[in-house]
């Protein structure tokens, strides 16, 4: 839990709960593992065996967004039933200038829709496979507790719908993906997205939240080769991607499509690495991550971080205050990927310049020189 | 020499539009590499059944018209791409492979022609061939070519037997497409990491590769997954058939 950075009165309450638990433990009678309350689960060293117990009040349809947008924070304070309508769409998209690829998508784009629910919610996934599609598909959400993460019960043929539900017991930022055989092909063709299970106490308030997903394409043509491309199996097996991109295409969050921020704002990036193969050395040039929620968990595990590692099939949450105007480049700092394979994004920051923070003094890059 | 003569003998017997397939063996996706499955000689349609051919069938058999079909024999999307019951579209459309046909309908069509659906073993055996080789599946270039055909919906070719377009834009019914799945749940087969031959296995996890004779044969995985997801009523937009005997 983001206790260290939490700004609300909950901190006080949480401290009290923790203190109470410690006293219980000192009495020698408490078995924390038998306690199913989330608060207990977070106390140090406990391994909770969870049983959903929050009453489910009402029902709502999840707001889903395409990258780089993130659904608004959930403000309700109770668990509810959340309907998630995910449409699987097979379509041709541009993954770079004049480079087409027949992607398979959750919701019509790569990466798939961002889903946001609250810890304790009963989530019902409605997976519709469009009638014109050619492949069966399913979904494995890493937020699901149970065999296959949903894959076992969500297989759906073109023209049909599958429905399954799960309780989002563990908060955190989770990858979801198609897990239909052959899985690497379904993933390499774009079938991945993210689900945020927002902790009950919420996340610290920020001014902007963005959704960034790193992933690879393995194409039969070389980087930049025009025309319709196909998955190159050999490159996939050898882990030699043709493209490494943020949000599904070269330049998807650069130039006119750059992420936006203003000086003085606090920014949170929900970053996933869909792979299928590579881990990411995630870095923003000219910025330092004030908080990193390592591996997409709920604790700010580190502060003042330059580059954070994201495993394939994993995520991270980074937060930073924006102090200086200009373009901040988002890269995988395995830097050939940024320079030669497309792993380059941008945050365009506007606002007043502060020469005390950053200023050229002399040299080729200094104005008026 | 004897084999050649037998082939000729068979050739003489197969009806027009069909291709004789000599006996042989192939490696099912979920079988041991060193234990190929024997396939007896049979004959198969050179090309998938077209809309125009299926139109002739439904004209003669009113129970198989879209408006008359029993839900137990085909889902709601049965022949849904036809303008109407007895209109399979213009000439170009009528030359296209028929789609949105259920297993029951495909089986009835073949029976009406004195034929049957090919078994999965027969289908896969013939589909292992490229233009020059009876079994091209160990050639990465062949696998790569099929992946492109399955995802970009282009291409099609006449294989060494003389059979057309097995891998063109679409899947094809087989007689026993789902026999293994009906006998065991996906979870059981995943836990054991096996699956009966005939192309059925667990479809919902990376573990699906366990027990596969050739984990790089992605086209075979795709076909196997499609088959395992079907019911006999399924009628989808990329699913057709051809007959055998
Ligand atoms: Cu899929």
């Amino acid at each position: 839990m983001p206790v260290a950075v939490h700004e609300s009165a909950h901190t006080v309450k949480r401290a009290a709960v923790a203190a109470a638990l410690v006293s219980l433990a000192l009495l020698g009678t408490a078995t924390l593992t038998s306690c199913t309350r989330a608060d207990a689960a977070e106390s140090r060293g406990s391994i909770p065996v969870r049983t959903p117990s929050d009453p489910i009040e009402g029902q709502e349809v999840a707001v889903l967004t395409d990258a780089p947008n993130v659904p608004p924070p959930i403000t309700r304070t109770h668990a509810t039933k959340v309907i998630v309508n995910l449409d699987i769409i097979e379509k041709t998209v541009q993954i770079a200038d004049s480079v087409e690829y027949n992607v398979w998508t959750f919701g019509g784009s790569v990466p798939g829709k961002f889903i946001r629910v609250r810890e304790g919610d009963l989530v019902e996934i409605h997976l519709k496979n469009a009638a014109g599609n050619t492949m069966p598909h399913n979904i494995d959400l890493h937020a699901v507790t149970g065999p296959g993460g949903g894959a076992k019960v969500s297989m759906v043929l073109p023209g049909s719908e599958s429905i399954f539900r799960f309780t989002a017991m563990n908060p955190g930022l989770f990858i979801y993906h198609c897990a239909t055989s052959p899985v690497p092909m379904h993933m390499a063709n774009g079938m991945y997205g993210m689900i945020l299970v927002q902790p009950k106490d919420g996340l610290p308030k920020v001014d902007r939240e963005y959704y960034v997903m790193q992933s690879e394409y393995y194409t039969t043509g070389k980087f930049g080769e025009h025309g319709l491309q196909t998955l190159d199996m050999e490159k996939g097996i050898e882990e030699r991607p043709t493209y490494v991109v943020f949000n599904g295409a070269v330049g998807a969050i650069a130039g006119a499509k750059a992420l936006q921020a203003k000086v003085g704002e606090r920014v949170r990036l929900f970053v996933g690495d869909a792979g299928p193969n590579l881990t990411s050395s995630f870095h923003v040039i000219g910025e330092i991550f004030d908080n990193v929620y390592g591996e997409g968990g709920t604790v700010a595990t580190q502060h003042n971080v330059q580059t954070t590692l994201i495993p394939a099939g994993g995520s991270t949450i980074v937060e930073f205050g924006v102090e200086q105007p200009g373009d901040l480049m988002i890269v995988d700092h395995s830097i050939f990927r940024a320079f030669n394979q497309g792993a380059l994004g941008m945050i365009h920051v506007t606002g007043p310049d502060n020469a005390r923070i950053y200023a050229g003094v002399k040299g080729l890059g200094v104005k008026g020189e | 020499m004897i084999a050649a003569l037998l082939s000729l003998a068979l050739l003489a017997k197969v009806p027009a539009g069909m291709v004789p397939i000599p006996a042989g063996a192939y490696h099912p996706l979920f079988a041991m590499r060193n234990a190929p499955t024997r396939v007896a000689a049979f004959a198969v349609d050179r090309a998938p059944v077209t809309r125009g051919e299926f139109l002739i069938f439904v004209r003669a058999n009113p129970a198989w018209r879209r408006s008359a079909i029993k839900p137990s024999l085909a889902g709601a999307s049965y022949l849904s791409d036809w303008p109407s019951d007895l209109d399979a579209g213009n000439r170009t459309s009528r030359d296209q492979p028929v789609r949105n046909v259920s297993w029951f309908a495909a089986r009835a069509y073949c029976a009406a022609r004195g034929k049957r659906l090919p078994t999965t073993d027969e289908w896969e055996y013939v589909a292992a061939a490229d233009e020059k080789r009876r079994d091209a599946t160990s050639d990465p270039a062949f696998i790569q070519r099929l992946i492109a055909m399955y995802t970009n919906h282009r291409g099609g070719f006449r294989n060494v037997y003389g059979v057309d377009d097995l891998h063109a834009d679409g899947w094809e019914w087989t007689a026993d497409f789902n026999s293994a799945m009906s006998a065991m749940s996906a979870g059981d087969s995943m836990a054991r990491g096996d699956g009966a031959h005939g192309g059925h296995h667990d479809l919902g996890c990376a573990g699906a590769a366990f027990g596969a004779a050739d984990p790089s044969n992605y086209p075979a995985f795709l076909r196997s997954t499609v088959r395992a997801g079907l019911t006999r009523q399924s009628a989808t937009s990329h699913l057709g058939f051809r007959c055998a005997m």
Side-chain angles (χ1 to χ4, degrees):
Chain A
M1 294 301 298
V3 176
V5 289
H6 213 275
E7 297 165 348
S8 77
H10 288 293
T11 311
V12 176
K13 185 187 111 197
R14 300 176 56 76
V17 170
L21 287 171
V22 167
S23 351
L24 278 172
L26 285 174
L27 284 171
T29 53
T31 352
L32 292 183
T33 50
S34 71
C35 183
T36 56
R37 293 274 309 146
D39 287 334
E42 289 143 17
S43 83
R44 205 169 215 176
S46 78
I47 302 174
V49 177
R50 293 175 161 87
T51 305
S53 56
D54 296 343
I56 302 297
E57 298 171 34
Q59 175 174 316
E60 61 186 46
V61 176
V63 175
L64 305 177
T65 57
D66 290 319
N69 298 314
V70 175
I74 295 167
T75 52
R76 66 184 150 72
T77 54
H78 60 271
T80 193
K81 181 173 169 186
V82 182
I83 308 289
V84 176
N85 292 306
L86 270 183
D87 294 334
I88 295 171
I89 298 162
E90 300 172 359
K91 63 193 283 199
T92 309
V93 299
Q94 292 235 336
I95 60 168
D97 272 349
S98 304
V99 181
E100 284 97 43
Y101 195 101
N102 280 329
V103 292
W104 304 341
T105 73
F106 287 105
S109 346
V110 179
K113 299 281 185 187
F114 196 103
I115 308 168
R116 188 171 197 152
V117 301
R118 182 180 174 275
E119 178 186 358
D121 282 348
L122 182 63
V123 184
E124 194 167 273
I125 304 284
H126 294 233
L127 198 61
K128 280 202 195 75
N129 193 348
N133 289 353
T134 58
M135 303 286 170
H137 299 286
N138 64 9
I139 190 169
D140 165 359
L141 301 108
H142 293 180
V144 171
T145 301
K152 264 191 79 163
V153 288
S154 61
M155 182 68 77
V156 59
L157 282 179
S160 308
E161 179 185 34
S162 69
I163 302 174
F164 76 98
R165 56 173 176 254
F166 69 97
T167 297
M169 296 194 295
N170 298 63
L173 179 62
F174 300 94
I175 294 279
Y176 69 77
H177 61 89
C178 183
T180 303
S181 175
V183 184
M185 184 170 179
H186 283 257
M187 293 192 66
N189 283 354
M191 298 200 78
Y192 40 79
M194 280 205 286
I195 175 168
L196 173 69
V197 180
Q198 189 179 292
K200 284 180 180 170
D201 294 337
L203 293 169
K205 184 171 164 22
V206 291
D207 301 295
R208 295 181 189 261
E209 291 182 327
Y210 289 113
Y211 166 19
V212 178
M213 181 77 95
Q214 179 171 328
S215 64
E216 304 120 43
Y217 289 109
Y218 299 81
T219 64
T220 41
K222 62 186 197 314
F223 181 86
E225 190 170 312
H226 290 182
L228 184 60
Q229 300 296 318
T230 316
L231 169 67
D232 186 317
M233 270 205 59
E234 199 173 303
K235 286 184 186 172
I237 292 168
E238 291 172 2
E239 308 193 6
R240 276 192 297 120
T242 326
Y243 296 86
V244 181
V245 294
F246 295 116
N247 289 355
V250 174
I253 48 168
K257 290 181 272 185
L259 309 183
Q260 302 291 321
K262 293 194 180 84
V263 168
E265 289 183 332
R266 292 162 301 175
V267 174
R268 173 179 297 129
L269 303 181
F270 295 109
V271 192
D273 182 352
N277 285 316
L278 303 184
T279 53
S280 172
S281 298
F282 187 76
H283 178 82
V284 175
I285 299 174
E287 190 51 76
I288 296 155
F289 304 140
D290 292 300
N291 302 316
V292 172
Y293 296 69
E295 291 155 7
T298 49
V299 177
T301 47
Q302 186 59 286
H303 307 289
N304 309 315
V305 172
Q306 57 194 305
T307 301
T308 190
L309 200 61
I310 315 173
S315 69
T316 193
I317 304 171
V318 299
E319 296 169 347
F320 48 89
V322 178
E323 290 96 358
Q324 203 47 20
D327 290 330
L328 307 173
M329 307 308 293
I330 301 171
V331 298
D332 179 337
H333 215 296
S334 292
I335 207 68
F336 278 90
R337 299 176 188 168
F339 201 87
N340 299 84
Q341 294 178 300
L344 201 60
M346 189 190 290
I347 306 171
H348 181 66
V349 181
T350 55
D353 183 77
N354 183 345
R356 172 79 185 267
I357 293 176
Y358 181 73
V361 178
K362 181 177 191 288
L364 288 174
V366 179
K367 279 180 197 149
E369 181 70 11
Chain B
M1 187 61 186
I2 291 168
L5 284 174
L6 280 174
S7 295
L8 277 175
L10 196 66
L11 190 60
K13 277 192 287 181
V14 303
M18 296 192 85
V19 175
I21 306 296
Y26 89 110
H27 298 280
L29 185 60
F30 289 92
M32 307 302 275
R33 252 297 178 197
N34 57 6
T37 294
R38 300 286 309 166
V39 177
F42 67 108
V44 69
D45 286 349
R46 181 182 300 283
V49 173
T50 64
R51 282 184 178 211
E53 290 167 332
F54 204 79
L55 176 62
I56 294 167
F57 168 71
V58 298
R59 274 191 199 286
N61 299 277
W64 291 99
R65 292 175 189 174
R66 188 172 74 193
S67 62
I69 193 80
K70 287 193 199 130
S72 59
L73 296 178
S77 53
Y78 178 67
L79 299 181
S80 57
D81 52 341
W82 288 23
S84 69
D85 252 14
L86 295 176
D87 181 357
N90 62 24
R91 179 171 298 177
T92 312
S93 294
R94 291 199 301 274
D95 286 342
Q96 297 298 310
V98 68
R99 297 293 189 229
N100 296 303
V101 280
S102 67
W103 178 85
F104 285 113
R107 190 179 64 158
Y109 175 95
C110 291
R113 296 276 178 114
K115 303 181 190 177
R116 59 177 175 82
L117 286 170
T119 65
T120 303
D121 280 339
E122 287 170 340
W123 200 99
E124 290 288 327
Y125 172 60
V126 181
D130 68 1
E131 289 93 334
K132 295 208 165 78
R133 298 165 288 186
R134 286 187 178 179
D135 185 356
T137 56
S138 55
D139 178 2
F142 180 63
I143 298 299
Q144 188 59 53
R145 183 179 172 197
L146 296 191
I147 287 174
M149 290 170 67
Y150 286 175
T151 47
N152 297 341
H153 318 305
R154 288 180 184 174
F157 60 90
R158 176 167 295 183
N159 72 15
V160 67
Y161 299 108
V163 179
D164 289 340
D165 298 339
L166 284 161
H167 305 282
D169 179 20
W171 316 107
E172 295 187 3
W173 282 111
T174 57
D176 56 345
F177 71 97
N178 222 356
S179 56
M181 285 304 282
S182 60
M184 81 171 82
S185 77
D188 292 340
S189 82
M190 169 155 56
R192 290 204 309 275
D194 65 1
H197 83 264
H200 301 298
H201 58 99
D202 181 69
L203 315 155
C205 67
F210 288 127
D214 180 3
S216 64
N217 193 344
Y218 279 22
F221 277 107
L222 290 170
R223 293 191 297 269
S224 167
T225 304
V226 168
R227 286 187 197 120
L230 295 171
T231 69
R232 290 175 294 178
Q233 290 81 17
S234 297
T236 74
S237 60
H238 291 267
L239 180 62
F241 69 101
R242 71 183 73 211
C243 306
M245 63 189 295

Short mmCIF file of all heavy atoms in Angstrom, two decimals, chain A residues 90-109:
data_model
loop_
_atom_site.label_atom_id
_atom_site.label_comp_id
_atom_site.label_asym_id
_atom_site.label_seq_id
_atom_site.Cartn_x
_atom_site.Cartn_y
_atom_site.Cartn_z
N GLU A 90 -10.22 -8.32 -34.95
CA GLU A 90 -9.04 -8.58 -35.79
C GLU A 90 -9.07 -7.55 -36.91
O GLU A 90 -10.07 -7.39 -37.59
CB GLU A 90 -9.11 -10.00 -36.37
CG GLU A 90 -9.15 -11.09 -35.29
CD GLU A 90 -9.41 -12.49 -35.85
OE1 GLU A 90 -9.57 -12.63 -37.07
OE2 GLU A 90 -9.46 -13.44 -35.05
N LYS A 91 -7.98 -6.82 -37.07
CA LYS A 91 -7.98 -5.75 -38.06
C LYS A 91 -6.57 -5.44 -38.54
O LYS A 91 -5.58 -5.85 -37.92
CB LYS A 91 -8.62 -4.49 -37.47
CG LYS A 91 -7.83 -3.93 -36.29
CD LYS A 91 -8.58 -2.89 -35.49
CE LYS A 91 -8.63 -1.55 -36.16
NZ LYS A 91 -8.96 -0.47 -35.18
N THR A 92 -6.49 -4.70 -39.62
CA THR A 92 -5.19 -4.27 -40.13
C THR A 92 -4.88 -2.88 -39.61
O THR A 92 -5.72 -1.99 -39.71
CB THR A 92 -5.20 -4.25 -41.67
OG1 THR A 92 -5.70 -5.49 -42.15
CG2 THR A 92 -3.81 -4.02 -42.23
N VAL A 93 -3.69 -2.72 -39.02
CA VAL A 93 -3.29 -1.40 -38.53
C VAL A 93 -1.89 -1.08 -39.06
O VAL A 93 -1.19 -1.94 -39.57
CB VAL A 93 -3.26 -1.34 -36.98
CG1 VAL A 93 -4.64 -1.60 -36.40
CG2 VAL A 93 -2.24 -2.31 -36.42
N GLN A 94 -1.53 0.17 -38.90
CA GLN A 94 -0.17 0.61 -39.22
C GLN A 94 0.66 0.50 -37.96
O GLN A 94 0.31 1.08 -36.93
CB GLN A 94 -0.17 2.08 -39.65
CG GLN A 94 -0.85 2.32 -40.98
CD GLN A 94 0.04 3.04 -41.98
OE1 GLN A 94 0.97 3.74 -41.60
NE2 GLN A 94 -0.23 2.85 -43.25
N ILE A 95 1.76 -0.23 -38.03
CA ILE A 95 2.64 -0.29 -36.86
C ILE A 95 3.85 0.63 -37.04
O ILE A 95 4.62 0.84 -36.12
CB ILE A 95 3.10 -1.73 -36.56
CG1 ILE A 95 3.87 -2.34 -37.73
CG2 ILE A 95 1.89 -2.61 -36.21
CD1 ILE A 95 4.58 -3.64 -37.37
N ALA A 96 3.99 1.16 -38.24
CA ALA A 96 4.99 2.19 -38.54
C ALA A 96 4.56 2.78 -39.87
O ALA A 96 3.61 2.28 -40.49
CB ALA A 96 6.40 1.60 -38.63
N ASP A 97 5.23 3.83 -40.32
CA ASP A 97 4.86 4.46 -41.59
C ASP A 97 4.80 3.42 -42.72
O ASP A 97 5.81 2.77 -43.02
CB ASP A 97 5.89 5.54 -41.97
CG ASP A 97 5.52 6.88 -41.35
OD1 ASP A 97 4.38 6.97 -40.83
OD2 ASP A 97 6.36 7.79 -41.37
N SER A 98 3.63 3.28 -43.32
CA SER A 98 3.44 2.38 -44.47
C SER A 98 3.76 0.92 -44.16
O SER A 98 4.07 0.14 -45.05
CB SER A 98 4.27 2.82 -45.68
OG SER A 98 3.96 4.15 -46.01
N VAL A 99 3.76 0.58 -42.88
CA VAL A 99 3.97 -0.82 -42.48
C VAL A 99 2.68 -1.32 -41.84
O VAL A 99 2.26 -0.80 -40.80
CB VAL A 99 5.14 -0.96 -41.47
CG1 VAL A 99 5.35 -2.42 -41.10
CG2 VAL A 99 6.41 -0.34 -42.04
N GLU A 100 2.03 -2.29 -42.48
CA GLU A 100 0.77 -2.81 -41.95
C GLU A 100 0.96 -4.17 -41.30
O GLU A 100 1.88 -4.91 -41.64
CB GLU A 100 -0.28 -2.95 -43.07
CG GLU A 100 -0.90 -1.65 -43.52
CD GLU A 100 -0.21 -1.11 -44.76
OE1 GLU A 100 0.06 -1.91 -45.66
OE2 GLU A 100 0.07 0.10 -44.80
N TYR A 101 0.04 -4.44 -40.38
CA TYR A 101 0.10 -5.72 -39.68
C TYR A 101 -1.33 -6.09 -39.32
O TYR A 101 -2.11 -5.23 -38.90
CB TYR A 101 0.95 -5.57 -38.41
CG TYR A 101 1.40 -6.87 -37.78
CD1 TYR A 101 2.69 -7.36 -37.99
CD2 TYR A 101 0.54 -7.61 -36.97
CE1 TYR A 101 3.11 -8.55 -37.41
CE2 TYR A 101 0.96 -8.80 -36.38
CZ TYR A 101 2.25 -9.26 -36.61
OH TYR A 101 2.65 -10.44 -36.03
N ASN A 102 -1.68 -7.34 -39.50
CA ASN A 102 -3.02 -7.80 -39.08
C ASN A 102 -2.98 -8.14 -37.61
O ASN A 102 -2.53 -9.22 -37.23
CB ASN A 102 -3.46 -9.01 -39.92
CG ASN A 102 -3.99 -8.58 -41.27
OD1 ASN A 102 -4.55 -7.49 -41.41
ND2 ASN A 102 -3.78 -9.40 -42.28
N VAL A 103 -3.44 -7.20 -36.79
CA VAL A 103 -3.39 -7.40 -35.35
C VAL A 103 -4.70 -8.02 -34.86
O VAL A 103 -5.74 -7.92 -35.50
CB VAL A 103 -3.14 -6.08 -34.58
CG1 VAL A 103 -1.74 -5.57 -34.85
CG2 VAL A 103 -4.18 -5.04 -34.93
N TRP A 104 -4.61 -8.68 -33.71
CA TRP A 104 -5.77 -9.19 -33.00
C TRP A 104 -5.85 -8.38 -31.71
O TRP A 104 -4.84 -8.26 -31.00
CB TRP A 104 -5.60 -10.69 -32.72
CG TRP A 104 -5.33 -11.50 -33.95
CD1 TRP A 104 -5.59 -11.14 -35.25
CD2 TRP A 104 -4.75 -12.81 -34.02
NE1 TRP A 104 -5.21 -12.16 -36.10
CE2 TRP A 104 -4.70 -13.19 -35.38
CE3 TRP A 104 -4.27 -13.71 -33.06
CZ2 TRP A 104 -4.18 -14.42 -35.80
CZ3 TRP A 104 -3.77 -14.94 -33.49
CH2 TRP A 104 -3.73 -15.28 -34.84
N THR A 105 -6.99 -7.79 -31.43
CA THR A 105 -7.03 -6.79 -30.37
C THR A 105 -8.14 -7.03 -29.35
O THR A 105 -9.16 -7.63 -29.66
CB THR A 105 -7.28 -5.38 -30.95
OG1 THR A 105 -8.65 -5.29 -31.38
CG2 THR A 105 -6.36 -5.08 -32.12
N PHE A 106 -7.90 -6.53 -28.14
CA PHE A 106 -8.94 -6.41 -27.15
C PHE A 106 -9.49 -4.99 -27.23
O PHE A 106 -8.93 -4.07 -26.64
CB PHE A 106 -8.39 -6.67 -25.74
CG PHE A 106 -8.07 -8.12 -25.48
CD1 PHE A 106 -6.74 -8.55 -25.46
CD2 PHE A 106 -9.06 -9.05 -25.22
CE1 PHE A 106 -6.43 -9.88 -25.20
CE2 PHE A 106 -8.76 -10.38 -24.97
CZ PHE A 106 -7.44 -10.79 -24.96
N GLY A 107 -10.51 -4.79 -28.02
CA GLY A 107 -11.16 -3.49 -28.07
C GLY A 107 -10.82 -2.64 -29.29
O GLY A 107 -11.22 -1.49 -29.34
N GLY A 108 -10.07 -3.17 -30.24
CA GLY A 108 -9.86 -2.45 -31.48
C GLY A 108 -8.50 -1.80 -31.62
O GLY A 108 -8.19 -1.25 -32.67
N SER A 109 -7.69 -1.79 -30.57
CA SER A 109 -6.35 -1.23 -30.71
C SER A 109 -5.33 -2.06 -29.95
O SER A 109 -5.68 -2.86 -29.09
CB SER A 109 -6.24 0.21 -30.18
OG SER A 109 -7.47 0.79 -29.98
#
